[in-house]
Coordinates of all heavy atoms in Angstrom, one line a residue:
S226 N -21.1 29.4 -282.9 CA -21.3 28.0 -283.0 C -22.2 27.5 -281.9 O -22.9 26.5 -282.1 CB -20.0 27.3 -282.9 OG -19.4 27.6 -281.6
S227 N -22.3 28.2 -280.8 CA -23.1 27.7 -279.6 C -23.3 28.9 -278.7 O -22.5 29.8 -278.6 CB -22.3 26.6 -279.0 OG -23.0 26.2 -277.7
S228 N -24.4 28.8 -277.9 CA -24.6 29.8 -276.8 C -23.8 29.4 -275.6 O -23.7 30.1 -274.6 CB -26.1 29.9 -276.5 OG -26.6 28.6 -276.1
N229 N -23.2 28.2 -275.6 CA -22.4 27.7 -274.5 C -21.1 27.2 -275.1 O -20.9 26.0 -275.2 CB -23.1 26.6 -273.7 CG -22.4 26.2 -272.5 OD1 -21.6 27.0 -271.9 ND2 -22.6 24.9 -272.1
P230 N -20.2 28.1 -275.5 CA -18.9 27.6 -276.2 C -18.0 26.9 -275.2 O -18.0 27.1 -274.0 CB -18.3 29.0 -276.6 CG -18.8 30.0 -275.7 CD -20.2 29.5 -275.3
P231 N -17.2 26.0 -275.8 CA -16.3 25.2 -275.0 C -15.2 26.1 -274.4 O -14.8 27.1 -275.0 CB -15.7 24.2 -276.0 CG -15.8 24.8 -277.3 CD -17.1 25.6 -277.2
S232 N -14.7 25.7 -273.2 CA -13.6 26.4 -272.6 C -12.3 25.9 -273.2 O -12.2 25.0 -274.0 CB -13.6 26.1 -271.1 OG -13.3 24.7 -270.9
M233 N -11.2 26.7 -272.9 CA -9.9 26.3 -273.4 C -9.5 24.9 -272.9 O -9.0 24.1 -273.8 CB -8.8 27.3 -272.9 CG -9.0 28.7 -273.5 SD -8.7 28.8 -275.3 CE -6.9 29.0 -275.2
P234 N -9.7 24.5 -271.7 CA -9.4 23.1 -271.3 C -10.2 22.1 -272.1 O -9.7 21.0 -272.5 CB -9.7 23.0 -269.8 CG -9.6 24.4 -269.4 CD -10.0 25.3 -270.5
Q235 N -11.4 22.4 -272.4 CA -12.3 21.5 -273.2 C -11.7 21.4 -274.7 O -11.7 20.3 -275.3 CB -13.7 22.0 -273.3 CG -14.5 21.8 -272.0 CD -15.8 22.4 -272.0 OE1 -16.0 23.5 -272.4 NE2 -16.8 21.6 -271.5
I236 N -11.3 22.5 -275.2 CA -10.7 22.5 -276.5 C -9.4 21.7 -276.5 O -9.1 20.9 -277.5 CB -10.3 24.0 -277.0 CG1 -11.6 24.7 -277.3 CG2 -9.5 24.0 -278.3 CD1 -11.5 26.2 -277.6
A237 N -8.6 21.8 -275.5 CA -7.4 21.0 -275.3 C -7.7 19.5 -275.3 O -7.0 18.7 -276.0 CB -6.6 21.3 -274.1
R238 N -8.8 19.1 -274.6 CA -9.2 17.7 -274.6 C -9.7 17.2 -276.0 O -9.4 16.1 -276.4 CB -10.3 17.5 -273.5 CG -9.7 17.6 -272.1 CD -10.7 17.0 -271.1 NE -11.9 17.9 -270.9 CZ -11.9 18.9 -270.1 NH1 -10.9 19.2 -269.3 NH2 -13.0 19.6 -270.0
L239 N -10.4 18.1 -276.7 CA -10.9 17.8 -278.1 C -9.7 17.6 -279.0 O -9.7 16.6 -279.8 CB -11.7 18.9 -278.6 CG -13.1 19.1 -278.0 CD1 -13.8 20.4 -278.5 CD2 -14.0 17.9 -278.3
L240 N -8.7 18.4 -278.9 CA -7.5 18.2 -279.7 C -6.7 17.0 -279.3 O -6.1 16.3 -280.2 CB -6.6 19.5 -279.6 CG -7.1 20.8 -280.2 CD1 -6.2 21.9 -279.9 CD2 -7.1 20.6 -281.7
S241 N -6.7 16.7 -278.0 CA -6.0 15.5 -277.6 C -6.7 14.2 -278.2 O -6.0 13.2 -278.6 CB -6.0 15.4 -276.1 OG -5.4 14.2 -275.6
A242 N -8.0 14.2 -278.2 CA -8.7 13.1 -278.8 C -8.5 13.0 -280.3 O -8.4 11.9 -280.9 CB -10.2 13.2 -278.5
A243 N -8.5 14.2 -281.0 CA -8.3 14.2 -282.4 C -6.9 13.8 -282.8 O -6.7 13.2 -283.9 CB -8.7 15.5 -283.0
Y244 N -5.9 14.2 -282.0 CA -4.5 13.9 -282.3 C -3.9 13.2 -281.1 O -3.2 13.8 -280.3 CB -3.7 15.2 -282.6 CG -4.4 16.0 -283.7 CD1 -5.2 17.1 -283.4 CD2 -4.1 15.7 -285.0 CE1 -5.8 17.8 -284.4 CE2 -4.6 16.5 -286.0 CZ -5.5 17.5 -285.7 OH -6.1 18.3 -286.8
P245 N -4.1 11.9 -281.0 CA -3.6 11.1 -279.8 C -2.1 11.2 -279.6 O -1.7 11.1 -278.4 CB -4.0 9.6 -280.2 CG -5.1 9.8 -281.2 CD -4.8 11.0 -282.0
G246 N -1.4 11.4 -280.6 CA 0.1 11.4 -280.4 C 0.6 12.8 -280.0 O 1.8 12.9 -279.6
A247 N -0.2 13.8 -280.0 CA 0.2 15.1 -279.7 C 0.1 15.4 -278.2 O -0.7 14.8 -277.5 CB -0.6 16.2 -280.5
K248 N 1.0 16.3 -277.7 CA 1.0 16.6 -276.3 C 0.2 17.9 -276.2 O 0.6 19.0 -276.7 CB 2.4 16.8 -275.8 CG 3.2 15.5 -275.8 CD 4.6 15.8 -275.2 CE 5.4 14.5 -275.2 NZ 6.8 14.7 -274.7
V249 N -0.9 17.9 -275.4 CA -1.7 19.1 -275.2 C -1.5 19.5 -273.7 O -1.2 18.6 -272.9 CB -3.2 18.9 -275.5 CG1 -3.4 18.6 -277.0 CG2 -3.8 17.9 -274.6
P250 N -1.6 20.8 -273.4 CA -1.5 21.2 -272.0 C -2.4 20.4 -271.0 O -3.6 20.4 -271.2 CB -1.8 22.7 -272.0 CG -1.6 23.1 -273.4 CD -1.9 21.9 -274.3
P251 N -1.8 19.7 -270.1 CA -2.7 18.9 -269.2 C -3.3 19.6 -268.0 O -4.2 19.0 -267.4 CB -1.7 17.8 -268.7 CG -0.4 18.6 -268.7 CD -0.4 19.5 -269.8
L252 N -2.8 20.8 -267.8 CA -3.3 21.5 -266.5 C -4.1 22.7 -266.8 O -4.0 23.3 -267.9 CB -2.0 21.9 -265.7 CG -1.0 20.9 -265.4 CD1 0.2 21.5 -264.7 CD2 -1.7 19.8 -264.5
T253 N -5.0 23.1 -265.9 CA -5.8 24.3 -266.0 C -5.3 25.3 -264.9 O -5.2 24.9 -263.7 CB -7.3 24.0 -265.7 OG1 -7.7 23.1 -266.7 CG2 -8.1 25.3 -265.8
A254 N -4.9 26.5 -265.3 CA -4.4 27.5 -264.3 C -5.5 27.9 -263.4 O -6.6 28.1 -263.7 CB -3.9 28.7 -265.1
P255 N -5.1 28.0 -262.1 CA -6.1 28.5 -261.1 C -6.5 29.9 -261.4 O -5.8 30.7 -261.9 CB -5.3 28.4 -259.8 CG -3.9 28.4 -260.1 CD -3.8 27.7 -261.5
E256 N -7.8 30.2 -261.1 CA -8.4 31.5 -261.5 C -7.6 32.7 -260.9 O -7.4 33.7 -261.5 CB -9.8 31.5 -261.0 CG -10.6 32.8 -261.5 CD -12.0 32.7 -261.2 OE1 -12.6 31.6 -261.1 OE2 -12.6 33.8 -261.0
W257 N -7.1 32.5 -259.6 CA -6.4 33.6 -259.0 C -5.1 34.0 -259.7 O -4.8 35.2 -259.8 CB -6.1 33.3 -257.5 CG -5.1 32.1 -257.4 CD1 -5.3 30.8 -257.1 CD2 -3.6 32.3 -257.4 NE1 -4.2 30.1 -257.1 CE2 -3.1 30.9 -257.2 CE3 -2.8 33.3 -257.6 CZ2 -1.8 30.7 -257.2 CZ3 -1.4 33.0 -257.6 CH2 -0.9 31.8 -257.4
S258 N -4.5 33.0 -260.3 CA -3.2 33.3 -261.0 C -3.5 34.0 -262.4 O -2.8 34.9 -262.8 CB -2.4 32.0 -261.3 OG -3.2 31.2 -262.2
V259 N -4.6 33.7 -263.0 CA -5.0 34.3 -264.2 C -5.4 35.8 -264.0 O -5.0 36.7 -264.7 CB -6.2 33.6 -264.9 CG1 -6.7 34.3 -266.2 CG2 -5.8 32.2 -265.3

C-alpha cells in the first residue's frame, strides 16, 4: 500500500477515528520493553 506504512499506534488512531465509540489502546509501549 505504501513505501512508508503506518505504525500500530497510527492504525489505532485510524480505528479510533472510524469508530468513535470504540476503545482503542491509548498507549505505546516503550521500545526497551518490546
Side-chain angles (χ1 to χ4, degrees):
S226 61
S227 170
S228 60
N229 186 27
S232 64
M233 295 289 277
Q235 288 175 315
I236 291 175
R238 288 194 290 272
L239 289 171
L240 289 172
S241 180
Y244 303 97
K248 295 181 179 179
V249 300
L252 305 176
T253 300
E256 187 174 332
W257 66 264
S258 65
V259 177

